[in-house]
Amino acid sequence: MKLSGFKVLTFDCYGTLIDWETGILNALQSIAKKKGLLEQKEKILETFAKHENRQEIETPGMRYSDLLALVYRRIAGEWNIDVSNKEAENFGGSVPSWPAFSDTVEALQYLKRHYKLVILSNVDQASFSGSNKRLGVKFDAIYTAEEIGSYKPDPKNFEYMLRKLETLGFTRSEILHTAQSLFHDHVPAKEFGLTTAWIDRRHGQKGSGATPPPPQNVKVDFHFKSLAEFVEKHRTEVKSDTVLADAVTA
């Protein structure tokens, strides 16, 4: 199996292209400091993951920025901290300020020359539009939780994406789902028979950070520590194929 054998890369965005853990930690800094947790990054992220997942299950049709505002209140409630409506709204609206990973733009610009690029993200359209300005490419399709009406790992999100891509002429065997979150992406992607590439942004760290741990052991087809590593592997394949083709025609 080769990376160059696929026509479409379907991406999770937050955690894969956008460094959402840095964004989340920055946006929660004020209440984490009040709680005395400022230096306990994994504890903060674990608390966020718990409440975000519960809220997505409870209100699957809620716009993500509004959902995040409720998550902020849930976290503050667990930590016994009073927060204002404005503070909660600011957290909900913080997504466009979350930074891209340092390798994201260059990698996407390279991959755009070889694949159709598609987003399947657990956010609202306005939030992604803000993030999209940081990504440096024009995506061929963007599917958000707001549009679909549910949040990954709900199978509806993958059903929707696959149905849309089928109308564009792409089969499942031509799609490589590329994501960081085992919980949100790799488990459901495998249930739909998709080939997957794990961009393991948390390599070398304990725990699962801002995502819940997966409910089972997950088999992935490709495993990379970064998107830059993915690109390097693809470049190596292309170079090898070119050398082989030249040898055959010589």
Side-chain angles (χ1 to χ4, degrees), residues 25-40 44 72 75-88:
L25 289 169
N26 288 341
L28 289 175
Q29 191 173 60
S30 177
I31 57 172
K33 184 176 181 179
K34 290 178 182 179
K35 182 62 177 176
L37 293 174
L38 200 55
E39 303 304 317
Q40 298 184 44
I44 299 169
Y72 188 85
I75 294 171
E78 179 177 329
W79 292 347
N80 295 313
I81 296 171
D82 292 328
V83 295
S84 67
N85 290 336
K86 184 64 175 175
E87 287 175 297

PDB file of all heavy atoms in Angstrom, residues 25-40 44 72 75-88:
ATOM      1  N   LEU A  25      -5.481  25.645  25.544  1.00  0.00           N
ATOM      2  CA  LEU A  25      -4.741  26.018  26.759  1.00  0.00           C
ATOM      3  C   LEU A  25      -4.642  27.536  26.896  1.00  0.00           C
ATOM      4  O   LEU A  25      -4.812  28.079  27.996  1.00  0.00           O
ATOM      5  CB  LEU A  25      -3.347  25.396  26.734  1.00  0.00           C
ATOM      6  CG  LEU A  25      -3.296  23.877  26.928  1.00  0.00           C
ATOM      7  CD1 LEU A  25      -1.910  23.346  26.607  1.00  0.00           C
ATOM      8  CD2 LEU A  25      -3.697  23.488  28.358  1.00  0.00           C
ATOM      9  N   ASN A  26      -4.397  28.225  25.794  1.00  0.00           N
ATOM     10  CA  ASN A  26      -4.335  29.686  25.846  1.00  0.00           C
ATOM     11  C   ASN A  26      -5.676  30.281  26.249  1.00  0.00           C
ATOM     12  O   ASN A  26      -5.743  31.213  27.056  1.00  0.00           O
ATOM     13  CB  ASN A  26      -3.902  30.244  24.486  1.00  0.00           C
ATOM     14  CG  ASN A  26      -2.442  29.987  24.180  1.00  0.00           C
ATOM     15  OD1 ASN A  26      -1.651  29.708  25.073  1.00  0.00           O
ATOM     16  ND2 ASN A  26      -2.073  30.071  22.911  1.00  0.00           N
ATOM     17  N   ALA A  27      -6.753  29.740  25.695  1.00  0.00           N
ATOM     18  CA  ALA A  27      -8.082  30.284  25.954  1.00  0.00           C
ATOM     19  C   ALA A  27      -8.598  29.949  27.351  1.00  0.00           C
ATOM     20  O   ALA A  27      -9.476  30.640  27.869  1.00  0.00           O
ATOM     21  CB  ALA A  27      -9.062  29.777  24.895  1.00  0.00           C
ATOM     22  N   LEU A  28      -8.052  28.891  27.955  1.00  0.00           N
ATOM     23  CA  LEU A  28      -8.461  28.501  29.314  1.00  0.00           C
ATOM     24  C   LEU A  28      -7.488  29.000  30.376  1.00  0.00           C
ATOM     25  O   LEU A  28      -7.641  28.682  31.559  1.00  0.00           O
ATOM     26  CB  LEU A  28      -8.574  26.973  29.417  1.00  0.00           C
ATOM     27  CG  LEU A  28      -9.739  26.321  28.682  1.00  0.00           C
ATOM     28  CD1 LEU A  28      -9.642  24.802  28.777  1.00  0.00           C
ATOM     29  CD2 LEU A  28     -11.083  26.788  29.270  1.00  0.00           C
ATOM     30  N   GLN A  29      -6.521  29.773  29.971  1.00  0.00           N
ATOM     31  CA  GLN A  29      -5.454  30.185  30.880  1.00  0.00           C
ATOM     32  C   GLN A  29      -5.972  30.918  32.118  1.00  0.00           C
ATOM     33  O   GLN A  29      -5.509  30.674  33.238  1.00  0.00           O
ATOM     34  CB  GLN A  29      -4.463  31.073  30.124  1.00  0.00           C
ATOM     35  CG  GLN A  29      -3.181  31.359  30.862  1.00  0.00           C
ATOM     36  CD  GLN A  29      -2.184  32.102  29.993  1.00  0.00           C
ATOM     37  OE1 GLN A  29      -2.466  33.211  29.524  1.00  0.00           O
ATOM     38  NE2 GLN A  29      -1.039  31.495  29.743  1.00  0.00           N
ATOM     39  N   SER A  30      -6.945  31.788  31.919  1.00  0.00           N
ATOM     40  CA  SER A  30      -7.438  32.605  33.030  1.00  0.00           C
ATOM     41  C   SER A  30      -8.052  31.761  34.141  1.00  0.00           C
ATOM     42  O   SER A  30      -7.694  31.903  35.317  1.00  0.00           O
ATOM     43  CB  SER A  30      -8.465  33.619  32.523  1.00  0.00           C
ATOM     44  OG  SER A  30      -9.005  34.365  33.601  1.00  0.00           O
ATOM     45  N   ILE A  31      -8.971  30.850  33.782  1.00  0.00           N
ATOM     46  CA  ILE A  31      -9.615  30.063  34.837  1.00  0.00           C
ATOM     47  C   ILE A  31      -8.694  28.960  35.353  1.00  0.00           C
ATOM     48  O   ILE A  31      -8.790  28.551  36.502  1.00  0.00           O
ATOM     49  CB  ILE A  31     -10.989  29.484  34.408  1.00  0.00           C
ATOM     50  CG1 ILE A  31     -10.876  28.611  33.159  1.00  0.00           C
ATOM     51  CG2 ILE A  31     -12.001  30.592  34.207  1.00  0.00           C
ATOM     52  CD1 ILE A  31     -12.175  27.877  32.835  1.00  0.00           C
ATOM     53  N   ALA A  32      -7.773  28.468  34.506  1.00  0.00           N
ATOM     54  CA  ALA A  32      -6.800  27.479  34.978  1.00  0.00           C
ATOM     55  C   ALA A  32      -5.892  28.095  36.035  1.00  0.00           C
ATOM     56  O   ALA A  32      -5.544  27.439  37.031  1.00  0.00           O
ATOM     57  CB  ALA A  32      -5.976  26.951  33.807  1.00  0.00           C
ATOM     58  N   LYS A  33      -5.558  29.342  35.842  1.00  0.00           N
ATOM     59  CA  LYS A  33      -4.718  30.042  36.820  1.00  0.00           C
ATOM     60  C   LYS A  33      -5.458  30.206  38.137  1.00  0.00           C
ATOM     61  O   LYS A  33      -4.894  30.002  39.227  1.00  0.00           O
ATOM     62  CB  LYS A  33      -4.305  31.403  36.272  1.00  0.00           C
ATOM     63  CG  LYS A  33      -3.352  32.169  37.172  1.00  0.00           C
ATOM     64  CD  LYS A  33      -2.913  33.468  36.514  1.00  0.00           C
ATOM     65  CE  LYS A  33      -1.930  34.223  37.411  1.00  0.00           C
ATOM     66  NZ  LYS A  33      -1.474  35.493  36.779  1.00  0.00           N
ATOM     67  N   LYS A  34      -6.738  30.557  38.075  1.00  0.00           N
ATOM     68  CA  LYS A  34      -7.549  30.708  39.289  1.00  0.00           C
ATOM     69  C   LYS A  34      -7.658  29.387  40.049  1.00  0.00           C
ATOM     70  O   LYS A  34      -7.717  29.370  41.276  1.00  0.00           O
ATOM     71  CB  LYS A  34      -8.948  31.220  38.937  1.00  0.00           C
ATOM     72  CG  LYS A  34      -8.979  32.659  38.453  1.00  0.00           C
ATOM     73  CD  LYS A  34     -10.397  33.084  38.080  1.00  0.00           C
ATOM     74  CE  LYS A  34     -10.415  34.513  37.542  1.00  0.00           C
ATOM     75  NZ  LYS A  34     -11.784  34.930  37.144  1.00  0.00           N
ATOM     76  N   LYS A  35      -7.674  28.299  39.316  1.00  0.00           N
ATOM     77  CA  LYS A  35      -7.791  26.975  39.928  1.00  0.00           C
ATOM     78  C   LYS A  35      -6.429  26.459  40.387  1.00  0.00           C
ATOM     79  O   LYS A  35      -6.345  25.455  41.107  1.00  0.00           O
ATOM     80  CB  LYS A  35      -8.418  25.998  38.910  1.00  0.00           C
ATOM     81  CG  LYS A  35      -8.648  24.594  39.426  1.00  0.00           C
ATOM     82  CD  LYS A  35      -9.629  24.555  40.606  1.00  0.00           C
ATOM     83  CE  LYS A  35      -9.880  23.120  41.046  1.00  0.00           C
ATOM     84  NZ  LYS A  35     -10.739  23.042  42.243  1.00  0.00           N
ATOM     85  N   GLY A  36      -5.353  27.108  39.995  1.00  0.00           N
ATOM     86  CA  GLY A  36      -4.015  26.649  40.354  1.00  0.00           C
ATOM     87  C   GLY A  36      -3.535  25.510  39.499  1.00  0.00           C
ATOM     88  O   GLY A  36      -2.691  24.707  39.916  1.00  0.00           O
ATOM     89  N   LEU A  37      -4.048  25.439  38.248  1.00  0.00           N
ATOM     90  CA  LEU A  37      -3.707  24.333  37.346  1.00  0.00           C
ATOM     91  C   LEU A  37      -2.879  24.784  36.153  1.00  0.00           C
ATOM     92  O   LEU A  37      -2.678  24.010  35.213  1.00  0.00           O
ATOM     93  CB  LEU A  37      -4.987  23.658  36.832  1.00  0.00           C
ATOM     94  CG  LEU A  37      -5.851  22.915  37.840  1.00  0.00           C
ATOM     95  CD1 LEU A  37      -7.131  22.444  37.166  1.00  0.00           C
ATOM     96  CD2 LEU A  37      -5.100  21.728  38.424  1.00  0.00           C
ATOM     97  N   LEU A  38      -2.399  26.004  36.174  1.00  0.00           N
ATOM     98  CA  LEU A  38      -1.765  26.584  35.003  1.00  0.00           C
ATOM     99  C   LEU A  38      -0.628  25.723  34.454  1.00  0.00           C
ATOM    100  O   LEU A  38      -0.411  25.652  33.247  1.00  0.00           O
ATOM    101  CB  LEU A  38      -1.252  27.991  35.325  1.00  0.00           C
ATOM    102  CG  LEU A  38      -0.994  28.914  34.135  1.00  0.00           C
ATOM    103  CD1 LEU A  38      -2.227  29.044  33.263  1.00  0.00           C
ATOM    104  CD2 LEU A  38      -0.532  30.277  34.614  1.00  0.00           C
ATOM    105  N   GLU A  39       0.110  25.062  35.334  1.00  0.00           N
ATOM    106  CA  GLU A  39       1.236  24.233  34.900  1.00  0.00           C
ATOM    107  C   GLU A  39       0.838  22.789  34.624  1.00  0.00           C
ATOM    108  O   GLU A  39       1.667  21.989  34.194  1.00  0.00           O
ATOM    109  CB  GLU A  39       2.346  24.271  35.964  1.00  0.00           C
ATOM    110  CG  GLU A  39       2.853  25.672  36.293  1.00  0.00           C
ATOM    111  CD  GLU A  39       3.348  26.417  35.064  1.00  0.00           C
ATOM    112  OE1 GLU A  39       4.044  25.772  34.245  1.00  0.00           O
ATOM    113  OE2 GLU A  39       3.043  27.612  34.918  1.00  0.00           O
ATOM    114  N   GLN A  40      -0.419  22.447  34.879  1.00  0.00           N
ATOM    115  CA  GLN A  40      -0.871  21.064  34.694  1.00  0.00           C
ATOM    116  C   GLN A  40      -1.633  20.951  33.368  1.00  0.00           C
ATOM    117  O   GLN A  40      -2.853  20.779  33.330  1.00  0.00           O
ATOM    118  CB  GLN A  40      -1.734  20.623  35.876  1.00  0.00           C
ATOM    119  CG  GLN A  40      -0.983  20.630  37.203  1.00  0.00           C
ATOM    120  CD  GLN A  40      -1.825  20.102  38.338  1.00  0.00           C
ATOM    121  OE1 GLN A  40      -2.520  19.088  38.222  1.00  0.00           O
ATOM    122  NE2 GLN A  40      -1.787  20.792  39.469  1.00  0.00           N
ATOM    123  N   ILE A  44      -5.721  20.010  32.388  1.00  0.00           N
ATOM    124  CA  ILE A  44      -6.622  20.963  31.729  1.00  0.00           C
ATOM    125  C   ILE A  44      -7.220  20.347  30.465  1.00  0.00           C
ATOM    126  O   ILE A  44      -8.435  20.400  30.242  1.00  0.00           O
ATOM    127  CB  ILE A  44      -5.870  22.260  31.378  1.00  0.00           C
ATOM    128  CG1 ILE A  44      -5.342  22.941  32.636  1.00  0.00           C
ATOM    129  CG2 ILE A  44      -6.784  23.219  30.604  1.00  0.00           C
ATOM    130  CD1 ILE A  44      -4.364  24.068  32.358  1.00  0.00           C
ATOM    131  N   TYR A  72     -17.081  25.730  28.429  1.00  0.00           N
ATOM    132  CA  TYR A  72     -16.354  26.634  29.321  1.00  0.00           C
ATOM    133  C   TYR A  72     -17.078  26.743  30.661  1.00  0.00           C
ATOM    134  O   TYR A  72     -16.449  26.684  31.733  1.00  0.00           O
ATOM    135  CB  TYR A  72     -16.252  28.006  28.659  1.00  0.00           C
ATOM    136  CG  TYR A  72     -15.372  28.998  29.376  1.00  0.00           C
ATOM    137  CD1 TYR A  72     -13.998  29.017  29.158  1.00  0.00           C
ATOM    138  CD2 TYR A  72     -15.912  29.938  30.256  1.00  0.00           C
ATOM    139  CE1 TYR A  72     -13.182  29.946  29.789  1.00  0.00           C
ATOM    140  CE2 TYR A  72     -15.111  30.856  30.899  1.00  0.00           C
ATOM    141  CZ  TYR A  72     -13.745  30.861  30.663  1.00  0.00           C
ATOM    142  OH  TYR A  72     -12.942  31.770  31.301  1.00  0.00           O
ATOM    143  N   ILE A  75     -16.628  23.470  32.619  1.00  0.00           N
ATOM    144  CA  ILE A  75     -15.299  23.388  33.229  1.00  0.00           C
ATOM    145  C   ILE A  75     -15.225  24.300  34.451  1.00  0.00           C
ATOM    146  O   ILE A  75     -14.745  23.898  35.520  1.00  0.00           O
ATOM    147  CB  ILE A  75     -14.218  23.766  32.203  1.00  0.00           C
ATOM    148  CG1 ILE A  75     -14.165  22.722  31.087  1.00  0.00           C
ATOM    149  CG2 ILE A  75     -12.848  23.882  32.886  1.00  0.00           C
ATOM    150  CD1 ILE A  75     -13.280  23.117  29.910  1.00  0.00           C
ATOM    151  N   ALA A  76     -15.703  25.530  34.290  1.00  0.00           N
ATOM    152  CA  ALA A  76     -15.691  26.483  35.408  1.00  0.00           C
ATOM    153  C   ALA A  76     -16.508  25.952  36.586  1.00  0.00           C
ATOM    154  O   ALA A  76     -16.118  26.103  37.749  1.00  0.00           O
ATOM    155  CB  ALA A  76     -16.232  27.830  34.943  1.00  0.00           C
ATOM    156  N   GLY A  77     -17.629  25.301  36.283  1.00  0.00           N
ATOM    157  CA  GLY A  77     -18.457  24.725  37.342  1.00  0.00           C
ATOM    158  C   GLY A  77     -17.734  23.614  38.080  1.00  0.00           C
ATOM    159  O   GLY A  77     -17.797  23.535  39.314  1.00  0.00           O
ATOM    160  N   GLU A  78     -17.047  22.749  37.348  1.00  0.00           N
ATOM    161  CA  GLU A  78     -16.289  21.675  37.991  1.00  0.00           C
ATOM    162  C   GLU A  78     -15.191  22.245  38.886  1.00  0.00           C
ATOM    163  O   GLU A  78     -14.904  21.693  39.955  1.00  0.00           O
ATOM    164  CB  GLU A  78     -15.664  20.766  36.934  1.00  0.00           C
ATOM    165  CG  GLU A  78     -14.840  19.639  37.529  1.00  0.00           C
ATOM    166  CD  GLU A  78     -14.266  18.687  36.494  1.00  0.00           C
ATOM    167  OE1 GLU A  78     -14.897  18.501  35.440  1.00  0.00           O
ATOM    168  OE2 GLU A  78     -13.181  18.122  36.745  1.00  0.00           O
ATOM    169  N   TRP A  79     -14.604  23.361  38.464  1.00  0.00           N
ATOM    170  CA  TRP A  79     -13.523  23.965  39.227  1.00  0.00           C
ATOM    171  C   TRP A  79     -14.014  24.998  40.254  1.00  0.00           C
ATOM    172  O   TRP A  79     -13.201  25.664  40.902  1.00  0.00           O
ATOM    173  CB  TRP A  79     -12.537  24.630  38.272  1.00  0.00           C
ATOM    174  CG  TRP A  79     -11.773  23.653  37.420  1.00  0.00           C
ATOM    175  CD1 TRP A  79     -11.689  22.296  37.578  1.00  0.00           C
ATOM    176  CD2 TRP A  79     -10.975  23.962  36.265  1.00  0.00           C
ATOM    177  NE1 TRP A  79     -10.898  21.741  36.613  1.00  0.00           N
ATOM    178  CE2 TRP A  79     -10.436  22.726  35.796  1.00  0.00           C
ATOM    179  CE3 TRP A  79     -10.655  25.138  35.600  1.00  0.00           C
ATOM    180  CZ2 TRP A  79      -9.608  22.660  34.670  1.00  0.00           C
ATOM    181  CZ3 TRP A  79      -9.823  25.074  34.481  1.00  0.00           C
ATOM    182  CH2 TRP A  79      -9.302  23.849  34.027  1.00  0.00           C
ATOM    183  N   ASN A  80     -15.346  25.134  40.363  1.00  0.00           N
ATOM    184  CA  ASN A  80     -15.949  26.085  41.327  1.00  0.00           C
ATOM    185  C   ASN A  80     -15.470  27.512  41.104  1.00  0.00           C
ATOM    186  O   ASN A  80     -15.104  28.236  42.038  1.00  0.00           O
ATOM    187  CB  ASN A  80     -15.651  25.645  42.774  1.00  0.00           C
ATOM    188  CG  ASN A  80     -16.298  24.320  43.122  1.00  0.00           C
ATOM    189  OD1 ASN A  80     -17.480  24.105  42.835  1.00  0.00           O
ATOM    190  ND2 ASN A  80     -15.522  23.430  43.709  1.00  0.00           N
ATOM    191  N   ILE A  81     -15.494  27.935  39.854  1.00  0.00           N
ATOM    192  CA  ILE A  81     -15.093  29.286  39.484  1.00  0.00           C
ATOM    193  C   ILE A  81     -16.267  29.983  38.816  1.00  0.00           C
ATOM    194  O   ILE A  81     -16.904  29.420  37.911  1.00  0.00           O
ATOM    195  CB  ILE A  81     -13.880  29.249  38.521  1.00  0.00           C
ATOM    196  CG1 ILE A  81     -12.666  28.640  39.213  1.00  0.00           C
ATOM    197  CG2 ILE A  81     -13.551  30.652  38.009  1.00  0.00           C
ATOM    198  CD1 ILE A  81     -11.510  28.365  38.284  1.00  0.00           C
ATOM    199  N   ASP A  82     -16.576  31.194  39.252  1.00  0.00           N
ATOM    200  CA  ASP A  82     -17.635  31.985  38.629  1.00  0.00           C
ATOM    201  C   ASP A  82     -17.107  32.644  37.362  1.00  0.00           C
ATOM    202  O   ASP A  82     -16.024  33.245  37.363  1.00  0.00           O
ATOM    203  CB  ASP A  82     -18.137  33.066  39.591  1.00  0.00           C
ATOM    204  CG  ASP A  82     -18.879  32.480  40.783  1.00  0.00           C
ATOM    205  OD1 ASP A  82     -19.527  31.423  40.604  1.00  0.00           O
ATOM    206  OD2 ASP A  82     -18.805  33.069  41.878  1.00  0.00           O
ATOM    207  N   VAL A  83     -17.866  32.532  36.286  1.00  0.00           N
ATOM    208  CA  VAL A  83     -17.470  33.164  35.032  1.00  0.00           C
ATOM    209  C   VAL A  83     -18.652  33.930  34.462  1.00  0.00           C
ATOM    210  O   VAL A  83     -19.808  33.613  34.724  1.00  0.00           O
ATOM    211  CB  VAL A  83     -16.971  32.132  33.997  1.00  0.00           C
ATOM    212  CG1 VAL A  83     -15.687  31.469  34.477  1.00  0.00           C
ATOM    213  CG2 VAL A  83     -18.034  31.089  33.701  1.00  0.00           C
ATOM    214  N   SER A  84     -18.346  34.939  33.674  1.00  0.00           N
ATOM    215  CA  SER A  84     -19.386  35.767  33.070  1.00  0.00           C
ATOM    216  C   SER A  84     -19.813  35.210  31.718  1.00  0.00           C
ATOM    217  O   SER A  84     -19.120  34.368  31.122  1.00  0.00           O
ATOM    218  CB  SER A  84     -18.867  37.195  32.885  1.00  0.00           C
ATOM    219  OG  SER A  84     -17.822  37.212  31.919  1.00  0.00           O
ATOM    220  N   ASN A  85     -20.949  35.695  31.226  1.00  0.00           N
ATOM    221  CA  ASN A  85     -21.396  35.313  29.884  1.00  0.00           C
ATOM    222  C   ASN A  85     -20.357  35.704  28.838  1.00  0.00           C
ATOM    223  O   ASN A  85     -20.112  34.965  27.885  1.00  0.00           O
ATOM    224  CB  ASN A  85     -22.727  35.988  29.562  1.00  0.00           C
ATOM    225  CG  ASN A  85     -23.880  35.424  30.371  1.00  0.00           C
ATOM    226  OD1 ASN A  85     -23.835  34.289  30.831  1.00  0.00           O
ATOM    227  ND2 ASN A  85     -24.925  36.223  30.547  1.00  0.00           N
ATOM    228  N   LYS A  86     -19.736  36.868  29.033  1.00  0.00           N
ATOM    229  CA  LYS A  86     -18.739  37.353  28.082  1.00  0.00           C
ATOM    230  C   LYS A  86     -17.531  36.432  28.033  1.00  0.00           C
ATOM    231  O   LYS A  86     -17.012  36.132  26.944  1.00  0.00           O
ATOM    232  CB  LYS A  86     -18.296  38.770  28.471  1.00  0.00           C
ATOM    233  CG  LYS A  86     -17.337  39.408  27.481  1.00  0.00           C
ATOM    234  CD  LYS A  86     -17.993  39.612  26.123  1.00  0.00           C
ATOM    235  CE  LYS A  86     -17.068  40.363  25.173  1.00  0.00           C
ATOM    236  NZ  LYS A  86     -17.647  40.458  23.814  1.00  0.00           N
ATOM    237  N   GLU A  87     -17.087  35.958  29.196  1.00  0.00           N
ATOM    238  CA  GLU A  87     -15.944  35.041  29.234  1.00  0.00           C
ATOM    239  C   GLU A  87     -16.263  33.748  28.483  1.00  0.00           C
ATOM    240  O   GLU A  87     -15.429  33.228  27.729  1.00  0.00           O
ATOM    241  CB  GLU A  87     -15.559  34.733  30.677  1.00  0.00           C
ATOM    242  CG  GLU A  87     -14.878  35.868  31.413  1.00  0.00           C
ATOM    243  CD  GLU A  87     -14.650  35.532  32.867  1.00  0.00           C
ATOM    244  OE1 GLU A  87     -15.648  35.326  33.603  1.00  0.00           O
ATOM    245  OE2 GLU A  87     -13.474  35.459  33.281  1.00  0.00           O
ATOM    246  N   ALA A  88     -17.470  33.225  28.695  1.00  0.00           N
ATOM    247  CA  ALA A  88     -17.876  31.990  28.017  1.00  0.00           C
ATOM    248  C   ALA A  88     -17.976  32.216  26.512  1.00  0.00           C
ATOM    249  O   ALA A  88     -17.530  31.378  25.710  1.00  0.00           O
ATOM    250  CB  ALA A  88     -19.211  31.500  28.567  1.00  0.00           C
TER     251      ALA A  88
END
